[in-house]
Amino acid sequence: MKRILTVTMLTLASTSAMAASETYQATVTALTEPTITEVAALNFGSIVPTATSSCNMDATGTVTGECDVSDVNILIGEVSLTDLTANTALTVTVSGSSSANLTFDADWDVNSAGTGNADGIADSIATNITVDGSGTTITLDVYGDITVDTGLTSGNSYTVDYTVDVVFQ
């Protein structure tokens, strides 16, 4: 009996090993989505209302072609990207479009702290930008080419969209 009790005690001692287990969580916070705001509305001024008329605006806001160069409404477009996370890599794309009467082919610059890209970035070209270490607002200047696709009614205003896309790399 003593032997059975000893074997039983050894069995219990060897199968009840001491162990511990705990579950913990891994945490991540999603980056803040940038806020895109139109600061200045792009305006080519006045254009000849016939089909195929076209106008170019350069990076300085100067228009050439069949636009009235003396129109006081001419204004380069300006878009700001705010609520940026420092040192974050972004891809920015600016794309023109067509409406019932117009086609807009966008060109644009990254114009932060007064420094622009003189060469411009072409319509729909994705461009990589890294936010600086302090998360400074990034400003985009938008300009390009506008073409009349179908005749316009004299004296009326017409619009055509452009899109600014910002995605995390």
Side-chain angles (χ1 to χ4, degrees):
M1 177 73 132
K2 208 175 193 185
R3 196 176 255 187
I4 294 176
L5 187 55
T6 305
V7 173
T8 304
M9 295 289 277
L10 286 174
T11 305
L12 287 175
S14 64
T15 59
S16 61
M18 298 296 284
S21 176
E22 290 293 330
T23 302
Y24 300 97
Q25 291 81 39
T27 302
V28 65
T29 302
L31 290 171
T32 302
E33 295 278 343
T35 300
I36 304 170
T37 306
E38 183 179 57
V39 176
L42 176 60
N43 192 326
F44 281 85
S46 301
I47 192 168
V48 175
T50 56
T52 72
S53 295
S54 65
C55 182
N56 172 268
M57 181 183 292
D58 68 17
T60 67
T62 302
V63 294
T64 56
E66 296 166 293
C67 280
D68 177 1
V69 299
S70 65
D71 191 309
V72 296
N73 296 311
I74 296 170
L75 185 62
I76 199 164
E78 187 177 317
V79 175
S80 68
L81 309 177
T82 57
D83 300 324
L84 301 171
T85 303
N87 303 310
T88 303
L90 305 171
T91 300
V92 179
T93 308
V94 178
S95 304
S97 69
S98 293
S99 65
N101 303 93
L102 303 170
T103 296
F104 174 55
D105 183 31
D107 291 323
W108 60 285
D109 293 335
V110 177
N111 185 15
S112 295
T115 58
N117 177 349
D119 297 330
I121 302 165
D123 190 273
S124 301
I125 299 296
T127 302
N128 297 331
I129 298 172
T130 300
V131 179
D132 69 15
S134 61
T136 304
T137 294
I138 295 174
T139 303
L140 310 177
D141 290 337
V142 182
Y143 48 96
D145 300 301
I146 197 161
T147 303
V148 176
D149 295 327
T150 60
L152 307 176
T153 302
S154 199
N156 286 353
S157 292
Y158 295 85
T159 61
V160 60
D161 295 336
Y162 68 92
T163 303
V164 177
D165 286 314
V166 179
V167 295
F168 297 111
Q169 289 182 20

